Amino acid sequence: MDSQIVKVRLANIESKRESLVKLLEKPDLGTLRIDVNQAIEEIDDLIDELKRTFPDI
């Protein structure tokens, strides 16, 4: 896998994270807020790990 593919996939993951952040702003989320928060945390961990593994991206 070359670095360009990793960059594209990382950008895709980051855009999905932003969608989850926007979802958190909705007042009627209820108990799903916990799951959305967990998903954001896991995406943040994945992004950090990708940046550590591929520091040039």
Side-chain angles (χ1 to χ4, degrees):
M1 182 180 313
D2 69 11
S3 64
Q4 187 61 32
I5 293 172
V6 174
K7 287 179 186 179
V8 169
R9 291 185 179 176
L10 179 59
N12 188 17
I13 292 168
E14 289 173 333
S15 72
K16 292 186 185 335
R17 183 194 183 281
E18 290 304 314
S19 297
L20 289 172
V21 169
K22 288 180 184 177
L23 184 62
L24 271 182
E25 296 172 1
K26 297 194 179 268
D28 60 345
L29 200 54
T31 59
L32 285 176
R33 183 172 302 279
I34 296 168
D35 294 327
V36 173
N37 274 325
Q38 181 65 34
I40 291 171
E41 288 177 19
E42 290 181 17
I43 287 175
D44 287 345
D45 290 344
L46 177 63
I47 291 170
D48 289 343
E49 188 172 327
L50 278 169
K51 288 182 178 179
R52 280 194 312 270
T53 304
F54 303 100
D56 296 333
I57 60 170

